[in-house]
Amino acid sequence: MREIIFSLALVLASPLLADSNLPPSYWAYRQLPDPQQEARAQALMEELRCLVCQGQSIADSDADLAGDMRDLVRRRIAAGEKPDAIRAWLIDRYGDWISYRPTAKPIAWPLWAAPIILLIFGGAVVAGRLKRKAR
């Protein structure tokens, strides 16, 4: 009986372990003093996907990892690194999926071609049906 109660207590307490006890990163919720650098950082953060939320940018997410990524972006921008270099580094580390900006790599060509192919196919179907009705 004690084992069941202990197991149940562990299951109910597990969400408590999900929160971090660490304070947020320094630049997670602060803006850079230079408005131009902050604007570049904000623009880049809007283009990067939160790895936890997956539907929000790191600029919009409240996840701890997104805060750490905002801190990283702001630190690198403040150090003089270009946003494209930061994006490239993050893509190398986390993969193409982290960027909302579409890739032009050959692996993505079917995704670019799919709307055109579907429009051609849909046009052919409509033309075929109109020909049948005209008869």
Side-chain angles (χ1 to χ4, degrees):
M1 183 68 173
R2 275 191 273 180
E3 293 85 13
I4 294 173
I5 293 173
F6 182 71
S7 298
L8 184 61
L10 278 178
V11 168
L12 293 175
S14 64
L16 296 175
L17 300 174
D19 285 339
S20 174
N21 292 332
L22 298 174
S25 299
Y26 185 79
W27 292 110
Y29 297 101
R30 291 182 175 95
Q31 293 188 350
L32 292 171
D34 182 358
Q36 291 177 338
Q37 286 181 335
E38 180 61 27
R40 286 195 299 270
Q42 278 295 328
L44 178 58
M45 290 186 291
E46 290 290 333
E47 294 180 5
L48 297 174
R49 186 185 318 262
C50 175
L51 297 171
V52 176
C53 305
Q54 299 181 0
Q56 293 181 312
S57 69
I58 65 169
D60 299 329
S61 175
D62 287 330
D64 290 338
L65 181 61
D68 291 343
M69 291 175 74
R70 287 191 301 271
D71 178 75
L72 179 134
V73 167
R74 285 185 172 119
R75 285 182 191 275
R76 287 180 168 225
I77 292 283
E81 198 169 337
K82 301 280 187 223
D84 288 336
I86 300 168
R87 180 185 300 103
W89 182 81
L90 287 167
I91 288 172
D92 285 344
R93 184 171 183 152
Y94 297 110
D96 289 329
W97 188 81
I98 195 168
S99 178
Y100 281 120
R101 186 186 292 180
T103 181
K105 293 181 181 176
I107 190 107
W109 289 353
L111 294 174
W112 289 98
I116 296 167
I117 293 169
L118 288 173
L119 281 173
I120 292 170
F121 178 73
V125 168
V126 169
R129 293 203 176 204
L130 289 176
K131 275 187 180 181
R132 280 191 217 133
K133 279 190 175 185
R135 291 184 190 174

